[in-house]
Amino acid sequence: MISIKAILGDEHRRCSVAAIPDFASLCEALATLFDRDCNSFRVFYRDDENDLVRISSNIDLQEALRLTTSTFNIVLVPQAPAAEVQVTPTDDQPAAGSLKPEKAAEKAAKTTEESTVMANLKKAPKTESKPNSIQLRCAATGKFLRILPTGSVDG
């Protein structure tokens, strides 16, 4: 038996399963546990260095289970639905409809991510020294973003 403790926001749930054969089965079990759709969250676990590591494949799941000693601790991060992106054609841009849905969703996600980072920076305490740039790691995606002194985001 594998004991699972899953956290989604302020909700904590526990269950036991005989086995977790693959990542899809884990997602289905978590979706049932929290009464959600499998695509509405991302799955992470705490590794042996206490870092949050994303599980997105069977290989990731096998590694997570290998590192689990007693209870499989899982953290679920809500995944916002991809926003629709309006594309207005210009002389140097292709006509509307030629932007692939994956690229539109990626662009929308990046814009949302940049907005979140900028909002968090505005809340951060002011320091006396002015660094050339600040590097932040997004907990949801694991990507690193660099904030330039101008306020623009490079990532």
Side-chain angles (χ1 to χ4, degrees):
M1 269 316 215
I2 300 172
S3 177
I4 297 175
K5 180 180 180 183
I7 301 170
L8 176 61
D10 292 337
E11 272 187 81
H12 294 67
R13 303 279 176 97
R14 292 187 78 105
C15 69
S16 293
V17 294
I20 305 172
D22 55 30
F23 178 66
S25 299
L26 173 64
C27 284
E28 288 172 18
L30 293 169
T32 301
L33 197 60
F34 285 97
D35 194 27
R36 300 248 177 164
D37 181 65
C38 284
N39 295 321
S40 68
F41 55 81
R42 291 182 179 166
V43 182
F44 294 83
Y45 73 98
R46 290 232 179 252
D47 70 1
D48 52 349
E49 296 174 350
N50 208 30
D51 291 325
L52 272 180
V53 180
R54 184 166 180 204
I55 303 173
S56 60
S57 69
N58 290 337
I59 293 171
D60 295 339
L61 175 61
Q62 289 171 1
E63 179 64 10
L65 290 172
R66 187 184 69 77
L67 293 173
T68 299
T69 53
S70 58
T71 301
F72 188 23
N73 291 302
I74 297 174
V75 177
L76 302 177
V77 177
Q79 180 170 307
E84 290 185 25
V85 177
Q86 297 283 343
V87 179
T88 306
T90 62
D91 292 339
D92 62 340
Q93 206 174 27
S98 62
L99 184 63
K100 293 182 179 178
E102 310 86 50
K103 293 294 181 185
E106 185 178 307
K107 183 176 180 180
K110 185 173 182 180
T111 301
T112 302
E113 188 174 302
E114 288 173 359
S115 299
T116 303
V117 168
M118 293 308 293
N120 288 336
L121 278 178
K122 288 178 183 175
K123 293 178 190 174
K126 304 288 184 215
T127 59
E128 293 299 317
S129 65
K130 295 192 177 195
N132 291 336
S133 66
I134 298 170
Q135 187 170 337
L136 299 173
R137 181 171 179 247
C138 179
T141 64
K143 292 182 183 178
F144 284 92
L145 298 173
R146 191 167 47 124
I147 312 300
L148 304 174
T150 60
S152 61
V153 178
D154 181 25

